[in-house]
Amino acid sequence: MSKDSVLVINCGSSSLKFAVINPKTEEESISGIAECLVGNDASITWKLNGEKQTLDLGAAGHEGAIEALVGILRENNLMEHIEAIGHRIVHGGEKFTQSTLITDEVIQGIEDCSHLAPLHNSAHLLGIRACIKYFPELPQSVVFDTAFHQTMPAESYLYAVPYNLYEEHGLRRYGMHGTSYRYVSKTAADMLGLDLDNSAILVAHLGNGASACAIKNGESVDTTMGLTPLEGLVMGTRSGDIDPNVFSFLNKQCGYSLDEIIDLLNKKSGMLGLSGLDNDCRVLENAAAEGHQRAQLTLDIFCHVLAKKLAGFAAELGRIDALVFTGGIGENSSMIRKNVMERLSIFGFDVDEQANEETFRGKSGVITKPGSTVAMVVATNEELMIARDTEALIAG
Ligand code: AMP
């Protein structure tokens, strides 16, 4: 049995996603999710050889989920293939500019960044500690969502608030989706035959959480998410950019408490709040096709805000070698892609209707006509990127 695969772990506040991936062949031997880890009815579901199975875990927590995972991996003779573990970490603050092998110092560093993403980083630490307990012999690495954006210049990451808030409290823009941007920009450059070190690429990562990024010579120079994922684009349930005085308006005029406002902007706004229907882009597209005007307006606002951000990023980059769509919406919605590209026609996008319509469900490819500024779809694969980083780190 060769040790050729990486166990990728992605801990959320109440869930744990996992996959065993061979970074060389890109083959995924098992993947799954443990859910409801806060409470008494946790379960773990996994897909192996095309078959799905579920096991009830009771009051498992993250550690119980890892223990159950060990059993599943042993039962299916997968344990002996695993050479290392790679963890997805949401926030690395300014401390972590790249993926790294786990040491006590690294664990302390993640703890030190916890105030920037309290729910996420504390869940990641639970996962890391459980893996150290149940896989004591395996090296482990951490791959940060924020690390890719640490190349942003100060003019991109600083807020125009008193400077001491940055110096003393780390109040600044960090950005998210960095692992996806790294994977997608490199894949796009490879597919187009571009030299990544001399390239200007715009990426729109459009999922339930959505952001965009300006990537110059393979490095992030600007992105739409900020201190938290709330800033920037219209999302499934997040408002994206708003006037900060909306806080006092909602408090004074509408009687909302601080917690209620935060809940409203994060969980009840965006596509869900605007449409009054759903946060799922598919539901809105279907409703709009049946004449639901507010669903259409919601989709138009989503595209309007995105196009505005991309146009600004294009000016920052000075040229566009490619605009890349990724994420659940970016990879599947020809309607959103077309709407956005038409709004950006000043930059020379000329949509290839057929290619655009035919690119979905994990397919990658160019969706513009010859002679047009290139727009394309790249199916993201953050897990593969984590597996690749982990393998590279253990190889030294
Ligand atoms: P993600 O967070 O990347 O998993 O993406 C989730 C989003 O992708 C949801 O808003 C889905 O509605 C959207 N999505 C998935 N498939 C389609 C599709 N065929 N057309 C439009 N949106 C889609």
Side-chain angles (χ1 to χ4, degrees), residues 205-209 236 271 279-283 285 326-334 336 360-361 380 382:
H205 179 114
L206 311 176
N208 200 31
M271 290 193 182
N279 65 311
D280 192 308
C281 187
R282 276 166 296 198
V283 174
E285 285 190 26
T326 191
I329 298 171
E331 290 169 33
N332 293 297
S333 176
S334 55
I336 294 281
F360 57 94
R361 273 199 216 127
T380 194
E382 287 155 285

Side-chain angles (χ1 to χ4, degrees), residues 299-314:
L299 296 169
D300 286 338
I301 294 171
F302 178 88
C303 295
H304 168 75
V305 174
L306 173 59
K308 227 167 39 167
K309 294 283 184 188
L310 290 172
F313 285 174

Side-chain angles (χ1 to χ4, degrees), residues 187-208:
T187 307
D190 288 348
M191 286 173 71
L192 297 173
L194 293 173
D195 173 10
L196 189 63
D197 294 334
N198 180 15
S199 63
I201 300 175
L202 293 170
V203 183
H205 179 114
L206 311 176
N208 200 31

